[in-house]
Amino acid sequence: MSKLNYIDLFAGAGGLSEGFIRQGFNPIAHVEMNKLACDTLTTRVAHHYLKSKGKEEIYHQFLKGEISRPELLKHVPQSLLNSVINSEISDRTIKNIFSRIDQQLTNNKVDLIIGGPPCQAYSVVGRARDPKNMEDDPRNFLYKLYVKFLDEYKPKMFVFENVPGILSAKNGEHFEKIKKAIKKAGYDFDFKILNAKDFNVLQDRKRVILIGWKENLQLQYPNFNILEQRYKILKDLFSDLPPLQNGNGSMGIVNYRKQTTEYLAKTGIRNCIGFTTQHIARPNNDNDLEIYRIAVEQWREGKRLDYGTLPKRLIKHKNTTSFTNRFQVVNGEGVSHTVVAHIAMDGHYYIHPDIKQNRSLTVREAARVQSFPDDFYFEGGRTAAFKQIGNAVPPLMAEEIAKKIKENF
């Protein structure tokens, strides 16, 4: 079967795309407004191209710091580099984006469109923090632009991903408008709330996955095989990484300290190249580190830390009655709570469960919780990497969705 062409909208760092590429789909274009996320996408394009040509060692040289990023990209055809389109998607820019995608198509058709508009306007937390309940946020209406891509390229199918809050935003009014717009474009669809932990991701992460198809095809929403979760963060996901204290680690190469685990090998998170990168922890002040110790000690007793109950000398925020779980330990004996983009601001919501290390998660640990493979490199530095990771779709979950989509072609 020839490769199936797709467009990834609001692509972020490419977590959703990574799963589809693994299943043999061909990315015609990734469209993303964040420059650093686009840099990450371009670096990953280089990885996939070089791997397909049996030249993956060139990419490894880049990871090791033996060649620069410009030297890496010299080995990749310009047409592939042009597939990453750094642009906001708006009424003002959409015609130019269409034109750039058309240049990439070269007489091929678009089989599939994937992606999901930024979710902050739909998230329950985002609405709670906004005095206007996010009702005036222009991101509420980005679905209209997504639908314009359906109108323009008429793919056989599409995948629209977002947070569960999209179903309840403005008492469901927004989602009703989305459904009407999709129907008007000529597509039938269904949706479910899927949880990443059911797809072998060590994270409790619920997302609305809406899958649509041309209305004359009479397809159905796929049945996904729910996997029994039997792996643990500390033992199966983190145990081969060197222990660190806060502020330590490296954005460059980091050697493993142990053999791989069954989970890492089975999922392909550890890539059998002998090292990873970006295992670096942010620095913390003494006040935060003391809170971290208390949080982990309470976690060991089966309790979550309530910020308002800390000793007064440790409390630095005036608000002690809401968001009292702002310091939260990752469950080392099971799956993590949801990784979100706020991890870029501070690590308080993602405290490492090993009290001896007494820090928040590293970039690589957060990437593993999201199921990114160890050779996936996030451009832009530590803070940018955390943001890209928090906004991503877990590649393992994306791959299972891609498998089911592929069955319909």
Side-chain angles (χ1 to χ4, degrees), residues 36 81 90 104 107 117 138 154 181 230 238 253 306 324 337 369 390:
L36 296 176
L81 300 181
S90 66
Q104 296 296 115
N107 298 322
K154 298 176 173 53
R230 60 188 182 90
F238 290 170
I253 67 168
D306 183 327
T324 58
H337 52 284
V369 171

Side-chain angles (χ1 to χ4, degrees), residues 19-79:
F20 278 83
I21 290 171
R22 290 180 190 176
Q23 286 300 306
F25 287 78
N26 177 48
I28 292 296
H30 296 94
V31 186
E32 169 56 40
M33 68 180 293
N34 182 277
K35 172 62 168 63
L36 296 176
C38 283
D39 288 346
T40 296
L41 287 165
T42 303
T43 297
R44 198 62 183 169
V45 165
H47 162 268
H48 286 300
Y49 172 76
L50 291 169
K51 184 177 180 179
S52 72
K53 299 297 183 182
K55 298 179 180 179
E56 200 172 4
E57 181 55 36
I58 296 173
Y59 179 74
H60 298 162
Q61 289 174 346
F62 160 72
L63 294 181
K64 294 173 184 177
E66 295 172 357
I67 62 172
S68 67
R69 187 167 180 272
E71 288 173 313
L72 168 71
L73 299 184
K74 285 180 182 177
H75 295 274
V76 184
Q78 189 61 46
S79 61

Side-chain angles (χ1 to χ4, degrees), residues 198-254:
D198 295 329
F199 297 86
N200 232 351
V201 180
L202 298 193
Q203 181 185 178
D204 186 355
R205 184 186 192 89
K206 293 179 180 177
R207 287 295 184 269
V208 170
I209 304 296
L210 190 155
I211 297 175
W213 50 87
K214 284 185 175 178
E215 57 189 0
N216 61 328
L217 296 178
Q218 297 182 327
L219 300 180
Q220 291 184 328
Y221 198 92
N223 289 318
F224 292 101
N225 300 319
I226 304 303
L227 299 175
E228 179 187 356
Q229 190 51 260
R230 60 188 182 90
Y231 298 105
K232 299 179 179 180
I233 294 272
L234 273 180
K235 178 172 69 72
D236 300 300
L237 190 64
F238 290 170
S239 62
D240 66 330
L241 295 172
L244 296 176
Q245 297 299 307
N246 78 96
N248 292 337
S250 172
M251 290 295 281
I253 67 168
V254 176

